[in-house]
Amino acid sequence: MSPDDGARKARFHYGGLERVIHEKARLGILTALVSERGGVAFNDLKLLCDLTDGNLSRHLKTLVEAGLVVAEREEDDGRPQSIYRLSREGRARFLEYLVELDRVVADAAPARSARRSRRPSARPGGAGA
Amino acid sequence: MSPDDGARKARFHYGGLERVIHEKARLGILTALVSERGGVAFNDLKLLCDLTDGNLSRHLKTLVEAGLVVAEREEDDGRPQSIYRLSREGRARFLEYLVELDRVVADAAPARSARRSRRPSARPGGAGA
């Protein structure tokens, strides 16, 4: 089997979906952070991602330990708060992850458009759930 | 807080990323199956997704138990083999999942295009990794 055969045969192996990024809540956190280069405060992140204090803390710890996110203490009206942002490496790794996610979406695309074009004739009258 | 505020604030909560589907290997299996309405044989699926017998069996069991995938025994040149395909419900749930995945990709899109337009000036000469 040539390397080319291998690539074709393993077409649905999405090795680029890095596990630490792919977890659902962390994917939300990273998507929130990628657009905010100035960083996002803990409390804002909690609302944006609809996470509890405990869950957000736990996931941020994982992301910081993985080198994807950095935390900084800042003053907000004299009160210290934690600001989180993507590290330079984190930004690069997340953008790589998104390229692999594009591949999943592209691989599924033919089935999605087939469904759209089949729907009207498959259910004459269009009634039902 | 109005429901609208809630929706905006929880903008990066991707509740539609159903956990049983989102797992990396299972996402590959489902993407392989969604395009093949006739089903895919176990051994082909193993190559397509680059999984071991044990891992593929385990993930298929999870998908069957979740009602997403159905298994059938067929004869291939007189030898029985298992064919896997999406259930009707599985297809619907996977297509829903993909809609939420689109949302992740769309939410991250501004940051990706910003990077592309910034890159030439950020690294004059364009050398380096």
Side-chain angles (χ1 to χ4, degrees), chain A residues 3-126:
Chain A
D4 236 32
D5 282 345
R8 197 163 52 240
K9 284 191 173 146
R11 172 162 173 220
F12 298 101
H13 171 74
Y14 300 110
L17 296 183
E18 197 185 340
R19 219 164 269 276
V20 69
I21 296 176
H22 190 61
E23 196 281 332
K24 185 165 99 164
R26 290 196 291 269
L27 182 53
I29 295 169
L30 294 169
T31 308
L33 294 182
V34 76
S35 309
E36 296 290 339
R37 297 184 79 94
V40 181
F42 186 90
N43 284 329
D44 293 334
L45 214 42
K46 215 172 70 168
L47 293 173
L48 286 167
C49 300
D50 196 23
L51 290 169
T52 61
D53 277 65
N55 272 334
L56 179 55
S57 292
R58 185 168 57 87
H59 287 303
L60 283 170
K61 185 167 179 286
T62 302
L63 292 169
V64 168
E65 285 173 359
L68 293 161
V69 165
V70 290
E72 275 163 34
R73 296 293 280 178
E74 283 188 8
E75 297 269 314
D76 176 37
D77 274 340
R79 296 198 322 196
Q81 63 171 353
S82 292
I83 305 287
Y84 294 86
R85 56 177 181 76
L86 287 190
S87 66
R88 188 191 175 90
E89 180 201 330
R91 178 169 299 270
R93 278 162 64 186
F94 186 52
L95 292 172
E96 283 299 308
Y97 169 90
L98 290 170
V99 170
E100 191 77 328
L101 213 56
D102 287 341
R103 202 159 72 85
V104 175
V105 171
D107 285 344
R112 299 172 85 181
S113 53
R115 180 186 163 94
R116 273 190 289 274
S117 61
R118 192 161 34 232
R119 200 182 286 157
S121 58
R123 281 192 169 264

Side-chain angles (χ1 to χ4, degrees), chain B:
Chain B
M1 192 164 85
S2 77
D4 237 33
D5 282 345
R8 199 163 48 242
K9 282 188 174 150
R11 171 160 174 222
F12 298 101
H13 172 74
Y14 300 110
L17 295 183
E18 197 185 340
R19 219 164 272 276
V20 69
I21 297 176
H22 189 61
E23 196 282 332
K24 186 166 97 165
R26 290 196 291 269
L27 182 53
I29 295 168
L30 294 169
T31 308
L33 294 182
V34 76
S35 309
E36 296 290 340
R37 297 184 79 95
V40 181
F42 185 90
N43 284 330
D44 293 334
L45 215 41
K46 216 173 69 168
L47 293 174
L48 286 167
C49 300
D50 195 23
L51 291 168
T52 62
D53 277 64
N55 272 335
L56 178 55
S57 294
R58 185 167 57 86
H59 287 304
L60 283 171
K61 186 167 180 285
T62 302
L63 292 169
V64 168
E65 285 173 0
L68 293 161
V69 166
V70 289
E72 274 163 36
R73 296 294 280 179
E74 284 188 8
E75 296 269 316
D76 177 35
D77 274 336
R79 295 197 324 194
Q81 63 171 354
S82 292
I83 305 287
Y84 294 87
R85 58 178 178 76
L86 288 189
S87 67
R88 189 190 176 90
E89 181 201 332
R91 179 168 298 270
R93 278 163 65 187
F94 187 52
L95 292 172
E96 283 299 307
Y97 169 90
L98 289 170
V99 170
E100 191 77 328
L101 213 56
D102 287 340
R103 201 158 72 85
V104 176
V105 171
D107 285 345
R112 299 173 85 181
S113 55
R115 181 186 163 93
R116 273 191 289 274
S117 60
R118 194 163 32 233
R119 199 182 286 155
S121 58
R123 282 191 169 264

